[in-house]
PDB file of all heavy atoms in Angstrom:
ATOM      1  N   HIS A   1      -7.620  -4.602  -6.097  1.00  0.00           N
ATOM      2  CA  HIS A   1      -7.346  -3.749  -7.256  1.00  0.00           C
ATOM      3  C   HIS A   1      -6.546  -2.512  -6.802  1.00  0.00           C
ATOM      4  O   HIS A   1      -5.557  -2.138  -7.439  1.00  0.00           O
ATOM      5  CB  HIS A   1      -8.674  -3.333  -7.891  1.00  0.00           C
ATOM      6  CG  HIS A   1      -8.546  -2.675  -9.208  1.00  0.00           C
ATOM      7  ND1 HIS A   1      -8.551  -3.384 -10.385  1.00  0.00           N
ATOM      8  CD2 HIS A   1      -8.437  -1.369  -9.556  1.00  0.00           C
ATOM      9  CE1 HIS A   1      -8.449  -2.538 -11.395  1.00  0.00           C
ATOM     10  NE2 HIS A   1      -8.378  -1.310 -10.915  1.00  0.00           N
ATOM     11  N   ALA A   2      -6.977  -1.922  -5.703  1.00  0.00           N
ATOM     12  CA  ALA A   2      -6.279  -0.747  -5.172  1.00  0.00           C
ATOM     13  C   ALA A   2      -4.877  -1.117  -4.706  1.00  0.00           C
ATOM     14  O   ALA A   2      -3.924  -0.354  -4.906  1.00  0.00           O
ATOM     15  CB  ALA A   2      -7.083  -0.140  -4.030  1.00  0.00           C
ATOM     16  N   TRP A   3      -4.739  -2.284  -4.081  1.00  0.00           N
ATOM     17  CA  TRP A   3      -3.427  -2.710  -3.604  1.00  0.00           C
ATOM     18  C   TRP A   3      -2.439  -2.851  -4.759  1.00  0.00           C
ATOM     19  O   TRP A   3      -1.301  -2.376  -4.678  1.00  0.00           O
ATOM     20  CB  TRP A   3      -3.525  -4.024  -2.830  1.00  0.00           C
ATOM     21  CG  TRP A   3      -2.173  -4.574  -2.539  1.00  0.00           C
ATOM     22  CD1 TRP A   3      -1.595  -5.663  -3.109  1.00  0.00           C
ATOM     23  CD2 TRP A   3      -1.202  -4.018  -1.652  1.00  0.00           C
ATOM     24  NE1 TRP A   3      -0.328  -5.834  -2.609  1.00  0.00           N
ATOM     25  CE2 TRP A   3      -0.053  -4.832  -1.714  1.00  0.00           C
ATOM     26  CE3 TRP A   3      -1.192  -2.910  -0.809  1.00  0.00           C
ATOM     27  CZ2 TRP A   3       1.087  -4.563  -0.966  1.00  0.00           C
ATOM     28  CZ3 TRP A   3      -0.046  -2.654  -0.066  1.00  0.00           C
ATOM     29  CH2 TRP A   3       1.072  -3.475  -0.151  1.00  0.00           C
ATOM     30  N   ILE A   4      -2.855  -3.491  -5.830  1.00  0.00           N
ATOM     31  CA  ILE A   4      -1.963  -3.656  -6.985  1.00  0.00           C
ATOM     32  C   ILE A   4      -1.569  -2.295  -7.542  1.00  0.00           C
ATOM     33  O   ILE A   4      -0.404  -2.031  -7.837  1.00  0.00           O
ATOM     34  CB  ILE A   4      -2.616  -4.530  -8.081  1.00  0.00           C
ATOM     35  CG1 ILE A   4      -2.790  -5.960  -7.593  1.00  0.00           C
ATOM     36  CG2 ILE A   4      -1.777  -4.513  -9.356  1.00  0.00           C
ATOM     37  CD1 ILE A   4      -3.603  -6.835  -8.526  1.00  0.00           C
ATOM     38  N   GLY A   5      -2.545  -1.404  -7.661  1.00  0.00           N
ATOM     39  CA  GLY A   5      -2.270  -0.078  -8.199  1.00  0.00           C
ATOM     40  C   GLY A   5      -1.320   0.725  -7.331  1.00  0.00           C
ATOM     41  O   GLY A   5      -0.340   1.304  -7.825  1.00  0.00           O
ATOM     42  N   ILE A   6      -1.571   0.766  -6.021  1.00  0.00           N
ATOM     43  CA  ILE A   6      -0.715   1.561  -5.142  1.00  0.00           C
ATOM     44  C   ILE A   6       0.674   0.949  -5.038  1.00  0.00           C
ATOM     45  O   ILE A   6       1.675   1.672  -4.957  1.00  0.00           O
ATOM     46  CB  ILE A   6      -1.350   1.774  -3.760  1.00  0.00           C
ATOM     47  CG1 ILE A   6      -0.681   2.952  -3.036  1.00  0.00           C
ATOM     48  CG2 ILE A   6      -1.220   0.565  -2.878  1.00  0.00           C
ATOM     49  CD1 ILE A   6      -0.948   4.279  -3.622  1.00  0.00           C
ATOM     50  N   ARG A   7       0.751  -0.371  -5.079  1.00  0.00           N
ATOM     51  CA  ARG A   7       2.062  -1.018  -5.029  1.00  0.00           C
ATOM     52  C   ARG A   7       2.884  -0.654  -6.265  1.00  0.00           C
ATOM     53  O   ARG A   7       4.071  -0.330  -6.167  1.00  0.00           O
ATOM     54  CB  ARG A   7       1.898  -2.539  -4.931  1.00  0.00           C
ATOM     55  CG  ARG A   7       3.215  -3.236  -4.619  1.00  0.00           C
ATOM     56  CD  ARG A   7       3.187  -4.694  -4.908  1.00  0.00           C
ATOM     57  NE  ARG A   7       2.962  -4.883  -6.332  1.00  0.00           N
ATOM     58  CZ  ARG A   7       2.190  -5.835  -6.842  1.00  0.00           C
ATOM     59  NH1 ARG A   7       1.587  -6.693  -6.069  1.00  0.00           N
ATOM     60  NH2 ARG A   7       2.033  -5.943  -8.140  1.00  0.00           N
ATOM     61  N   ASP A   8       2.247  -0.662  -7.414  1.00  0.00           N
ATOM     62  CA  ASP A   8       2.964  -0.301  -8.644  1.00  0.00           C
ATOM     63  C   ASP A   8       3.390   1.165  -8.639  1.00  0.00           C
ATOM     64  O   ASP A   8       4.500   1.494  -9.071  1.00  0.00           O
ATOM     65  CB  ASP A   8       2.100  -0.603  -9.866  1.00  0.00           C
ATOM     66  CG  ASP A   8       1.949  -2.096 -10.101  1.00  0.00           C
ATOM     67  OD1 ASP A   8       2.674  -2.888  -9.460  1.00  0.00           O
ATOM     68  OD2 ASP A   8       1.086  -2.471 -10.929  1.00  0.00           O
ATOM     69  N   VAL A   9       2.520   2.039  -8.149  1.00  0.00           N
ATOM     70  CA  VAL A   9       2.876   3.460  -8.066  1.00  0.00           C
ATOM     71  C   VAL A   9       4.058   3.648  -7.113  1.00  0.00           C
ATOM     72  O   VAL A   9       5.003   4.393  -7.419  1.00  0.00           O
ATOM     73  CB  VAL A   9       1.661   4.308  -7.627  1.00  0.00           C
ATOM     74  CG1 VAL A   9       2.070   5.713  -7.238  1.00  0.00           C
ATOM     75  CG2 VAL A   9       0.621   4.350  -8.734  1.00  0.00           C
ATOM     76  N   CYS A  10       4.016   2.976  -5.961  1.00  0.00           N
ATOM     77  CA  CYS A  10       5.131   3.086  -5.009  1.00  0.00           C
ATOM     78  C   CYS A  10       6.426   2.550  -5.611  1.00  0.00           C
ATOM     79  O   CYS A  10       7.492   3.143  -5.414  1.00  0.00           O
ATOM     80  CB  CYS A  10       4.803   2.346  -3.714  1.00  0.00           C
ATOM     81  SG  CYS A  10       3.639   3.220  -2.660  1.00  0.00           S
ATOM     82  N   MET A  11       6.355   1.435  -6.322  1.00  0.00           N
ATOM     83  CA  MET A  11       7.573   0.881  -6.932  1.00  0.00           C
ATOM     84  C   MET A  11       8.153   1.848  -7.950  1.00  0.00           C
ATOM     85  O   MET A  11       9.373   1.949  -8.093  1.00  0.00           O
ATOM     86  CB  MET A  11       7.275  -0.464  -7.600  1.00  0.00           C
ATOM     87  CG  MET A  11       7.211  -1.602  -6.632  1.00  0.00           C
ATOM     88  SD  MET A  11       7.194  -3.207  -7.427  1.00  0.00           S
ATOM     89  CE  MET A  11       5.587  -3.239  -8.181  1.00  0.00           C
ATOM     90  N   ASP A  12       7.288   2.577  -8.659  1.00  0.00           N
ATOM     91  CA  ASP A  12       7.777   3.485  -9.687  1.00  0.00           C
ATOM     92  C   ASP A  12       8.267   4.815  -9.135  1.00  0.00           C
ATOM     93  O   ASP A  12       9.208   5.397  -9.671  1.00  0.00           O
ATOM     94  CB  ASP A  12       6.678   3.754 -10.714  1.00  0.00           C
ATOM     95  CG  ASP A  12       6.374   2.555 -11.580  1.00  0.00           C
ATOM     96  OD1 ASP A  12       7.203   1.625 -11.622  1.00  0.00           O
ATOM     97  OD2 ASP A  12       5.288   2.528 -12.211  1.00  0.00           O
ATOM     98  N   TYR A  13       7.641   5.324  -8.072  1.00  0.00           N
ATOM     99  CA  TYR A  13       7.906   6.699  -7.654  1.00  0.00           C
ATOM    100  C   TYR A  13       8.500   6.867  -6.265  1.00  0.00           C
ATOM    101  O   TYR A  13       8.961   7.954  -5.934  1.00  0.00           O
ATOM    102  CB  TYR A  13       6.620   7.530  -7.755  1.00  0.00           C
ATOM    103  CG  TYR A  13       6.134   7.618  -9.179  1.00  0.00           C
ATOM    104  CD1 TYR A  13       5.014   6.917  -9.600  1.00  0.00           C
ATOM    105  CD2 TYR A  13       6.830   8.381 -10.113  1.00  0.00           C
ATOM    106  CE1 TYR A  13       4.582   6.982 -10.908  1.00  0.00           C
ATOM    107  CE2 TYR A  13       6.400   8.450 -11.425  1.00  0.00           C
ATOM    108  CZ  TYR A  13       5.281   7.749 -11.813  1.00  0.00           C
ATOM    109  OH  TYR A  13       4.872   7.815 -13.107  1.00  0.00           O
ATOM    110  N   VAL A  14       8.470   5.839  -5.414  1.00  0.00           N
ATOM    111  CA  VAL A  14       9.088   5.949  -4.091  1.00  0.00           C
ATOM    112  C   VAL A  14      10.403   5.182  -4.151  1.00  0.00           C
ATOM    113  O   VAL A  14      10.414   3.957  -4.109  1.00  0.00           O
ATOM    114  CB  VAL A  14       8.155   5.398  -2.981  1.00  0.00           C
ATOM    115  CG1 VAL A  14       8.821   5.533  -1.623  1.00  0.00           C
ATOM    116  CG2 VAL A  14       6.815   6.112  -2.998  1.00  0.00           C
ATOM    117  N   HIS A  15      11.481   5.910  -4.266  1.00  0.00           N
ATOM    118  CA  HIS A  15      12.774   5.280  -4.506  1.00  0.00           C
ATOM    119  C   HIS A  15      13.487   4.872  -3.221  1.00  0.00           C
ATOM    120  O   HIS A  15      14.338   3.998  -3.234  1.00  0.00           O
ATOM    121  CB  HIS A  15      13.663   6.212  -5.335  1.00  0.00           C
ATOM    122  CG  HIS A  15      13.034   6.558  -6.646  1.00  0.00           C
ATOM    123  ND1 HIS A  15      12.862   5.643  -7.652  1.00  0.00           N
ATOM    124  CD2 HIS A  15      12.483   7.705  -7.098  1.00  0.00           C
ATOM    125  CE1 HIS A  15      12.255   6.212  -8.675  1.00  0.00           C
ATOM    126  NE2 HIS A  15      12.018   7.469  -8.366  1.00  0.00           N
ATOM    127  N   PHE A  16      13.132   5.491  -2.109  1.00  0.00           N
ATOM    128  CA  PHE A  16      13.725   5.152  -0.820  1.00  0.00           C
ATOM    129  C   PHE A  16      13.014   3.909  -0.289  1.00  0.00           C
ATOM    130  O   PHE A  16      11.789   3.894  -0.121  1.00  0.00           O
ATOM    131  CB  PHE A  16      13.565   6.342   0.128  1.00  0.00           C
ATOM    132  CG  PHE A  16      14.185   6.132   1.476  1.00  0.00           C
ATOM    133  CD1 PHE A  16      15.550   5.883   1.609  1.00  0.00           C
ATOM    134  CD2 PHE A  16      13.409   6.193   2.618  1.00  0.00           C
ATOM    135  CE1 PHE A  16      16.116   5.696   2.850  1.00  0.00           C
ATOM    136  CE2 PHE A  16      13.970   6.007   3.864  1.00  0.00           C
ATOM    137  CZ  PHE A  16      15.325   5.759   3.989  1.00  0.00           C
ATOM    138  N   VAL A  17      13.761   2.829  -0.034  1.00  0.00           N
ATOM    139  CA  VAL A  17      13.173   1.531   0.328  1.00  0.00           C
ATOM    140  C   VAL A  17      12.302   1.644   1.571  1.00  0.00           C
ATOM    141  O   VAL A  17      11.177   1.122   1.606  1.00  0.00           O
ATOM    142  CB  VAL A  17      14.267   0.461   0.511  1.00  0.00           C
ATOM    143  CG1 VAL A  17      13.661  -0.833   1.023  1.00  0.00           C
ATOM    144  CG2 VAL A  17      15.000   0.227  -0.794  1.00  0.00           C
ATOM    145  N   TRP A  18      12.790   2.318   2.621  1.00  0.00           N
ATOM    146  CA  TRP A  18      11.992   2.400   3.854  1.00  0.00           C
ATOM    147  C   TRP A  18      10.739   3.244   3.650  1.00  0.00           C
ATOM    148  O   TRP A  18       9.705   2.991   4.268  1.00  0.00           O
ATOM    149  CB  TRP A  18      12.831   2.925   5.008  1.00  0.00           C
ATOM    150  CG  TRP A  18      13.744   1.846   5.495  1.00  0.00           C
ATOM    151  CD1 TRP A  18      15.092   1.764   5.283  1.00  0.00           C
ATOM    152  CD2 TRP A  18      13.364   0.677   6.214  1.00  0.00           C
ATOM    153  NE1 TRP A  18      15.584   0.601   5.838  1.00  0.00           N
ATOM    154  CE2 TRP A  18      14.534  -0.087   6.419  1.00  0.00           C
ATOM    155  CE3 TRP A  18      12.160   0.188   6.699  1.00  0.00           C
ATOM    156  CZ2 TRP A  18      14.528  -1.292   7.094  1.00  0.00           C
ATOM    157  CZ3 TRP A  18      12.159  -1.012   7.375  1.00  0.00           C
ATOM    158  CH2 TRP A  18      13.327  -1.732   7.561  1.00  0.00           C
ATOM    159  N   GLY A  19      10.811   4.211   2.783  1.00  0.00           N
ATOM    160  CA  GLY A  19       9.613   4.994   2.462  1.00  0.00           C
ATOM    161  C   GLY A  19       8.567   4.127   1.788  1.00  0.00           C
ATOM    162  O   GLY A  19       7.364   4.227   2.068  1.00  0.00           O
ATOM    163  N   ARG A  20       9.039   3.243   0.925  1.00  0.00           N
ATOM    164  CA  ARG A  20       8.139   2.308   0.245  1.00  0.00           C
ATOM    165  C   ARG A  20       7.525   1.329   1.239  1.00  0.00           C
ATOM    166  O   ARG A  20       6.328   1.050   1.201  1.00  0.00           O
ATOM    167  CB  ARG A  20       8.911   1.567  -0.847  1.00  0.00           C
ATOM    168  CG  ARG A  20       8.035   0.831  -1.804  1.00  0.00           C
ATOM    169  CD  ARG A  20       8.819   0.179  -2.922  1.00  0.00           C
ATOM    170  NE  ARG A  20       9.727   1.119  -3.545  1.00  0.00           N
ATOM    171  CZ  ARG A  20      10.932   0.789  -4.006  1.00  0.00           C
ATOM    172  NH1 ARG A  20      11.365  -0.446  -3.899  1.00  0.00           N
ATOM    173  NH2 ARG A  20      11.694   1.685  -4.566  1.00  0.00           N
ATOM    174  N   VAL A  21       8.335   0.822   2.165  1.00  0.00           N
ATOM    175  CA  VAL A  21       7.844  -0.119   3.172  1.00  0.00           C
ATOM    176  C   VAL A  21       6.779   0.549   4.044  1.00  0.00           C
ATOM    177  O   VAL A  21       5.730  -0.026   4.324  1.00  0.00           O
ATOM    178  CB  VAL A  21       9.011  -0.670   4.027  1.00  0.00           C
ATOM    179  CG1 VAL A  21       8.491  -1.428   5.233  1.00  0.00           C
ATOM    180  CG2 VAL A  21       9.906  -1.549   3.179  1.00  0.00           C
ATOM    181  N   VAL A  22       7.052   1.783   4.468  1.00  0.00           N
ATOM    182  CA  VAL A  22       6.083   2.511   5.302  1.00  0.00           C
ATOM    183  C   VAL A  22       4.795   2.744   4.519  1.00  0.00           C
ATOM    184  O   VAL A  22       3.686   2.549   5.050  1.00  0.00           O
ATOM    185  CB  VAL A  22       6.686   3.840   5.807  1.00  0.00           C
ATOM    186  CG1 VAL A  22       5.620   4.726   6.423  1.00  0.00           C
ATOM    187  CG2 VAL A  22       7.804   3.567   6.799  1.00  0.00           C
ATOM    188  N   ALA A  23       4.906   3.137   3.258  1.00  0.00           N
ATOM    189  CA  ALA A  23       3.714   3.360   2.438  1.00  0.00           C
ATOM    190  C   ALA A  23       2.919   2.062   2.284  1.00  0.00           C
ATOM    191  O   ALA A  23       1.684   2.064   2.401  1.00  0.00           O
ATOM    192  CB  ALA A  23       4.117   3.906   1.066  1.00  0.00           C
ATOM    193  N   TYR A  24       3.613   0.958   2.044  1.00  0.00           N
ATOM    194  CA  TYR A  24       2.934  -0.339   1.935  1.00  0.00           C
ATOM    195  C   TYR A  24       2.201  -0.698   3.222  1.00  0.00           C
ATOM    196  O   TYR A  24       1.046  -1.130   3.202  1.00  0.00           O
ATOM    197  CB  TYR A  24       3.930  -1.454   1.629  1.00  0.00           C
ATOM    198  CG  TYR A  24       4.518  -1.470   0.243  1.00  0.00           C
ATOM    199  CD1 TYR A  24       5.627  -2.246  -0.036  1.00  0.00           C
ATOM    200  CD2 TYR A  24       3.963  -0.734  -0.791  1.00  0.00           C
ATOM    201  CE1 TYR A  24       6.184  -2.282  -1.305  1.00  0.00           C
ATOM    202  CE2 TYR A  24       4.517  -0.762  -2.052  1.00  0.00           C
ATOM    203  CZ  TYR A  24       5.626  -1.539  -2.308  1.00  0.00           C
ATOM    204  OH  TYR A  24       6.162  -1.571  -3.553  1.00  0.00           O
ATOM    205  N   LEU A  25       2.880  -0.539   4.354  1.00  0.00           N
ATOM    206  CA  LEU A  25       2.272  -0.893   5.636  1.00  0.00           C
ATOM    207  C   LEU A  25       1.052  -0.024   5.937  1.00  0.00           C
ATOM    208  O   LEU A  25       0.014  -0.534   6.380  1.00  0.00           O
ATOM    209  CB  LEU A  25       3.295  -0.787   6.758  1.00  0.00           C
ATOM    210  CG  LEU A  25       4.358  -1.868   6.788  1.00  0.00           C
ATOM    211  CD1 LEU A  25       5.412  -1.553   7.845  1.00  0.00           C
ATOM    212  CD2 LEU A  25       3.739  -3.233   7.040  1.00  0.00           C
ATOM    213  N   LEU A  26       1.163   1.266   5.704  1.00  0.00           N
ATOM    214  CA  LEU A  26       0.031   2.159   5.961  1.00  0.00           C
ATOM    215  C   LEU A  26      -1.147   1.838   5.051  1.00  0.00           C
ATOM    216  O   LEU A  26      -2.295   1.734   5.506  1.00  0.00           O
ATOM    217  CB  LEU A  26       0.453   3.617   5.789  1.00  0.00           C
ATOM    218  CG  LEU A  26       1.397   4.181   6.842  1.00  0.00           C
ATOM    219  CD1 LEU A  26       1.851   5.580   6.454  1.00  0.00           C
ATOM    220  CD2 LEU A  26       0.733   4.187   8.206  1.00  0.00           C
ATOM    221  N   PHE A  27      -0.869   1.678   3.774  1.00  0.00           N
ATOM    222  CA  PHE A  27      -1.954   1.427   2.832  1.00  0.00           C
ATOM    223  C   PHE A  27      -2.559   0.045   3.037  1.00  0.00           C
ATOM    224  O   PHE A  27      -3.785  -0.109   3.010  1.00  0.00           O
ATOM    225  CB  PHE A  27      -1.462   1.588   1.391  1.00  0.00           C
ATOM    226  CG  PHE A  27      -2.586   1.769   0.423  1.00  0.00           C
ATOM    227  CD1 PHE A  27      -3.290   2.959   0.374  1.00  0.00           C
ATOM    228  CD2 PHE A  27      -2.955   0.743  -0.422  1.00  0.00           C
ATOM    229  CE1 PHE A  27      -4.343   3.124  -0.508  1.00  0.00           C
ATOM    230  CE2 PHE A  27      -4.000   0.900  -1.314  1.00  0.00           C
ATOM    231  CZ  PHE A  27      -4.696   2.099  -1.357  1.00  0.00           C
ATOM    232  N   ALA A  28      -1.729  -0.957   3.285  1.00  0.00           N
ATOM    233  CA  ALA A  28      -2.249  -2.306   3.524  1.00  0.00           C
ATOM    234  C   ALA A  28      -3.097  -2.338   4.791  1.00  0.00           C
ATOM    235  O   ALA A  28      -4.159  -2.978   4.822  1.00  0.00           O
ATOM    236  CB  ALA A  28      -1.101  -3.309   3.623  1.00  0.00           C
ATOM    237  N   SER A  29      -2.656  -1.645   5.834  1.00  0.00           N
ATOM    238  CA  SER A  29      -3.439  -1.589   7.075  1.00  0.00           C
ATOM    239  C   SER A  29      -4.791  -0.940   6.831  1.00  0.00           C
ATOM    240  O   SER A  29      -5.824  -1.408   7.323  1.00  0.00           O
ATOM    241  CB  SER A  29      -2.685  -0.801   8.145  1.00  0.00           C
ATOM    242  OG  SER A  29      -1.472  -1.412   8.437  1.00  0.00           O
ATOM    243  N   TRP A  30      -4.790   0.139   6.075  1.00  0.00           N
ATOM    244  CA  TRP A  30      -6.039   0.842   5.764  1.00  0.00           C
ATOM    245  C   TRP A  30      -6.963  -0.064   4.941  1.00  0.00           C
ATOM    246  O   TRP A  30      -8.167  -0.132   5.218  1.00  0.00           O
ATOM    247  CB  TRP A  30      -5.738   2.137   5.018  1.00  0.00           C
ATOM    248  CG  TRP A  30      -6.959   2.907   4.676  1.00  0.00           C
ATOM    249  CD1 TRP A  30      -7.770   3.594   5.528  1.00  0.00           C
ATOM    250  CD2 TRP A  30      -7.531   3.060   3.373  1.00  0.00           C
ATOM    251  NE1 TRP A  30      -8.809   4.160   4.827  1.00  0.00           N
ATOM    252  CE2 TRP A  30      -8.680   3.857   3.506  1.00  0.00           C
ATOM    253  CE3 TRP A  30      -7.164   2.601   2.106  1.00  0.00           C
ATOM    254  CZ2 TRP A  30      -9.466   4.200   2.415  1.00  0.00           C
ATOM    255  CZ3 TRP A  30      -7.960   2.951   1.038  1.00  0.00           C
ATOM    256  CH2 TRP A  30      -9.090   3.745   1.192  1.00  0.00           C
ATOM    257  N   LEU A  31      -6.433  -0.778   3.958  1.00  0.00           N
ATOM    258  CA  LEU A  31      -7.256  -1.678   3.143  1.00  0.00           C
ATOM    259  C   LEU A  31      -7.832  -2.821   3.968  1.00  0.00           C
ATOM    260  O   LEU A  31      -9.005  -3.177   3.811  1.00  0.00           O
ATOM    261  CB  LEU A  31      -6.448  -2.231   1.968  1.00  0.00           C
ATOM    262  CG  LEU A  31      -6.216  -1.284   0.814  1.00  0.00           C
ATOM    263  CD1 LEU A  31      -5.289  -1.932  -0.213  1.00  0.00           C
ATOM    264  CD2 LEU A  31      -7.513  -0.871   0.161  1.00  0.00           C
ATOM    265  N   VAL A  32      -7.024  -3.410   4.842  1.00  0.00           N
ATOM    266  CA  VAL A  32      -7.521  -4.489   5.703  1.00  0.00           C
ATOM    267  C   VAL A  32      -8.636  -3.969   6.607  1.00  0.00           C
ATOM    268  O   VAL A  32      -9.672  -4.621   6.777  1.00  0.00           O
ATOM    269  CB  VAL A  32      -6.366  -5.119   6.519  1.00  0.00           C
ATOM    270  CG1 VAL A  32      -6.895  -6.018   7.618  1.00  0.00           C
ATOM    271  CG2 VAL A  32      -5.437  -5.883   5.596  1.00  0.00           C
ATOM    272  N   ALA A  33      -8.452  -2.780   7.170  1.00  0.00           N
ATOM    273  CA  ALA A  33      -9.494  -2.187   8.018  1.00  0.00           C
ATOM    274  C   ALA A  33     -10.772  -1.949   7.216  1.00  0.00           C
ATOM    275  O   ALA A  33     -11.881  -2.212   7.709  1.00  0.00           O
ATOM    276  CB  ALA A  33      -8.988  -0.882   8.632  1.00  0.00           C
ATOM    277  N   CYS A  34     -10.644  -1.493   5.981  1.00  0.00           N
ATOM    278  CA  CYS A  34     -11.822  -1.272   5.134  1.00  0.00           C
ATOM    279  C   CYS A  34     -12.546  -2.578   4.827  1.00  0.00           C
ATOM    280  O   CYS A  34     -13.782  -2.628   4.854  1.00  0.00           O
ATOM    281  CB  CYS A  34     -11.418  -0.579   3.828  1.00  0.00           C
ATOM    282  SG  CYS A  34     -10.983   1.148   4.030  1.00  0.00           S
ATOM    283  N   VAL A  35     -11.805  -3.629   4.537  1.00  0.00           N
ATOM    284  CA  VAL A  35     -12.424  -4.927   4.243  1.00  0.00           C
ATOM    285  C   VAL A  35     -13.117  -5.477   5.489  1.00  0.00           C
ATOM    286  O   VAL A  35     -14.241  -5.992   5.405  1.00  0.00           O
ATOM    287  CB  VAL A  35     -11.383  -5.922   3.691  1.00  0.00           C
ATOM    288  CG1 VAL A  35     -11.927  -7.346   3.665  1.00  0.00           C
ATOM    289  CG2 VAL A  35     -10.940  -5.495   2.302  1.00  0.00           C
ATOM    290  N   ILE A  36     -12.481  -5.357   6.642  1.00  0.00           N
ATOM    291  CA  ILE A  36     -13.111  -5.821   7.885  1.00  0.00           C
ATOM    292  C   ILE A  36     -14.386  -5.026   8.150  1.00  0.00           C
ATOM    293  O   ILE A  36     -15.430  -5.595   8.489  1.00  0.00           O
ATOM    294  CB  ILE A  36     -12.129  -5.715   9.066  1.00  0.00           C
ATOM    295  CG1 ILE A  36     -11.019  -6.740   8.906  1.00  0.00           C
ATOM    296  CG2 ILE A  36     -12.849  -5.893  10.410  1.00  0.00           C
ATOM    297  CD1 ILE A  36      -9.864  -6.565   9.871  1.00  0.00           C
ATOM    298  N   TYR A  37     -14.331  -3.715   7.971  1.00  0.00           N
ATOM    299  CA  TYR A  37     -15.502  -2.879   8.185  1.00  0.00           C
ATOM    300  C   TYR A  37     -16.611  -3.222   7.191  1.00  0.00           C
ATOM    301  O   TYR A  37     -17.792  -3.273   7.558  1.00  0.00           O
ATOM    302  CB  TYR A  37     -15.107  -1.404   8.091  1.00  0.00           C
ATOM    303  CG  TYR A  37     -16.189  -0.451   8.504  1.00  0.00           C
ATOM    304  CD1 TYR A  37     -16.712  -0.486   9.790  1.00  0.00           C
ATOM    305  CD2 TYR A  37     -16.687   0.492   7.622  1.00  0.00           C
ATOM    306  CE1 TYR A  37     -17.702   0.387  10.184  1.00  0.00           C
ATOM    307  CE2 TYR A  37     -17.674   1.373   8.001  1.00  0.00           C
ATOM    308  CZ  TYR A  37     -18.181   1.318   9.281  1.00  0.00           C
ATOM    309  OH  TYR A  37     -19.162   2.183   9.655  1.00  0.00           O
ATOM    310  N   SER A  38     -16.247  -3.475   5.939  1.00  0.00           N
ATOM    311  CA  SER A  38     -17.261  -3.856   4.950  1.00  0.00           C
ATOM    312  C   SER A  38     -17.925  -5.168   5.335  1.00  0.00           C
ATOM    313  O   SER A  38     -19.136  -5.336   5.187  1.00  0.00           O
ATOM    314  CB  SER A  38     -16.667  -3.944   3.541  1.00  0.00           C
ATOM    315  OG  SER A  38     -15.852  -5.090   3.396  1.00  0.00           O
ATOM    316  N   PHE A  39     -17.134  -6.105   5.847  1.00  0.00           N
ATOM    317  CA  PHE A  39     -17.698  -7.379   6.308  1.00  0.00           C
ATOM    318  C   PHE A  39     -18.691  -7.140   7.442  1.00  0.00           C
ATOM    319  O   PHE A  39     -19.780  -7.726   7.466  1.00  0.00           O
ATOM    320  CB  PHE A  39     -16.576  -8.317   6.768  1.00  0.00           C
ATOM    321  CG  PHE A  39     -17.067  -9.667   7.194  1.00  0.00           C
ATOM    322  CD1 PHE A  39     -17.291 -10.661   6.254  1.00  0.00           C
ATOM    323  CD2 PHE A  39     -17.322  -9.944   8.520  1.00  0.00           C
ATOM    324  CE1 PHE A  39     -17.754 -11.909   6.632  1.00  0.00           C
ATOM    325  CE2 PHE A  39     -17.789 -11.186   8.923  1.00  0.00           C
ATOM    326  CZ  PHE A  39     -18.007 -12.169   7.964  1.00  0.00           C
TER     327      PHE A  39
END
């Protein structure tokens, strides 16, 4: 749910492609770490 939301926010407000890629990588890494920790 958070991934879909942050991806949509980045698509709407981060206009620089590499900035969007970096934001995706950072947020996706954090979400994966949270899921692993929850497991």
Side-chain angles (χ1 to χ4, degrees):
H1 191 90
W3 171 252
I4 293 172
I6 198 69
R7 191 197 63 219
D8 289 349
V9 167
C10 285
M11 280 192 290
D12 290 343
Y13 297 107
V14 180
H15 301 291
F16 182 60
V17 174
W18 284 106
R20 193 176 310 144
V21 169
V22 168
Y24 288 166
L25 288 173
L26 290 174
F27 198 73
S29 299
W30 180 71
L31 284 175
V32 168
C34 287
V35 168
I36 291 170
Y37 189 60
S38 73
F39 183 84

